[in-house]
């Protein structure tokens, strides 16, 4: 779920980091923040819980991110928590990364396959996505699902290409059934 407020906060942070010539550092911080919160449901629960006092949230964020992120990011986290909007921090980080990627022409391709992709497969997927979407850079997020039997499913934004054997067998079964 993305919020309008998260998108606005992300845009403001993006503009500020551009002004301060720290866009790369802040983007890295937002990726780090997003991964940290994603891997820690407890942290996400604390940020979203209105009962947890603001100073406690400040202390937790400072303990986790203090000294590990750019000064702009640290000030931003502090400001948002002080405003009582810590519940949207995770969404803001995701929105920031998405907006940054849009500016830089970076596309994320999610590839689900039955087995791990080889370097040759990854290179092929990157070349295909760059050619089809005109992206300057492609980031691959790999997922493994043995139920696919073979082949792969490629997802970029709202587009999906299914070249899995399981999908082919399902289509074949449907045709024989009718």
């Amino acid at each position: 779920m993305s919020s309008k407020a998260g998108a606005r906060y992300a845009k403001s942070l993006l503009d500020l980091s551009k002004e301060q010539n720290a866009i790369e550092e802040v983007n890295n911080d937002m990726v780090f923040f997003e991964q940290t919160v994603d891997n820690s449901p407890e942290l996400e629960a604390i940020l979203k819980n209105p009962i947890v006092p603001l100073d406690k949230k400040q202390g937790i964020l400072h303990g986790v991110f203090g000294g590990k992120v750019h000064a702009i990011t640290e000030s931003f986290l502090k400001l948002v928590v002080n405003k009582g909007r810590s519940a949207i921090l995770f969404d803001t980080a995701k929105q920031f990364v998405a907006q940054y990627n849009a500016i830089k022409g970076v596309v994320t391709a999610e590839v689900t396959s039955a087995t791990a992709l080889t370097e040759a497969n990854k290179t092929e997927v990157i070349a295909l996505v760059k050619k089809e979407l005109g992206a300057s850079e492609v980031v691959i997020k790999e997922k493994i699902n043995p139920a696919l039997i073979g082949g792969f499913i490629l997802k970029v934004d709202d587009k999906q290409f299914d070249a899995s054997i399981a999908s082919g067998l399902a289509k074949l079964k449907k045709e024989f059934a009718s």
Side-chain angles (χ1 to χ4, degrees):
M1 175 183 92
S2 73
S3 68
K4 287 182 182 178
R8 285 194 304 267
Y9 275 65
K11 173 87 171 88
S12 297
L13 181 59
L14 192 67
D15 291 344
L16 177 65
S17 59
K18 267 193 231 173
E19 270 178 33
Q20 302 291 324
N21 292 322
I23 192 165
E24 298 300 325
E25 294 92 333
V26 175
N27 180 59
N28 292 337
D29 293 346
M30 288 295 111
V31 169
F32 174 52
F33 180 86
E34 184 182 350
Q35 289 171 343
T36 304
V37 175
D38 209 21
N39 293 328
S40 174
E42 299 86 11
L43 180 58
E44 186 175 10
I46 288 168
L47 291 173
K48 289 185 175 180
N49 190 337
I51 297 169
V52 177
L54 299 181
D55 59 332
K56 196 160 200 109
K57 289 180 184 183
Q58 284 288 15
I60 292 168
L61 286 176
H62 183 72
V64 176
F65 300 104
K68 296 177 188 165
V69 294
H70 194 277
I72 292 173
T73 305
E74 205 164 342
S75 297
F76 177 77
L77 295 174
K78 196 177 203 176
L79 175 74
V80 175
V81 171
N82 284 340
K83 294 273 184 199
R85 303 297 307 264
S86 63
I88 68 166
L89 276 174
F90 184 54
D91 182 53
T92 300
K94 288 195 281 191
Q95 294 278 342
F96 182 95
V97 173
Q99 291 175 23
Y100 171 87
N101 286 345
I103 290 170
K104 296 288 184 178
V106 178
V107 172
T108 301
E110 192 177 288
V111 181
T112 308
S113 58
T115 58
L117 295 175
T118 64
E119 285 306 312
N121 294 141
K122 288 179 185 177
T123 306
E124 226 175 291
V125 168
I126 289 170
L128 175 73
V129 173
K130 278 184 176 179
K131 180 181 170 222
E132 292 298 318
L133 299 177
S136 62
E137 187 182 334
V138 178
V139 175
I140 293 183
K141 284 191 178 176
E142 198 174 344
K143 290 184 181 177
I144 296 174
N145 181 356
L148 294 180
I149 304 168
F152 64 93
I153 299 172
L154 173 65
K155 240 190 219 177
V156 179
D157 296 326
D158 60 346
K159 297 174 185 76
Q160 179 172 311
F161 175 71
D162 191 341
S164 65
I165 292 175
S167 173
L169 289 173
K171 285 179 192 167
L172 200 58
K173 185 177 175 183
K174 205 177 202 178
E175 285 179 26
F176 278 123
S178 57

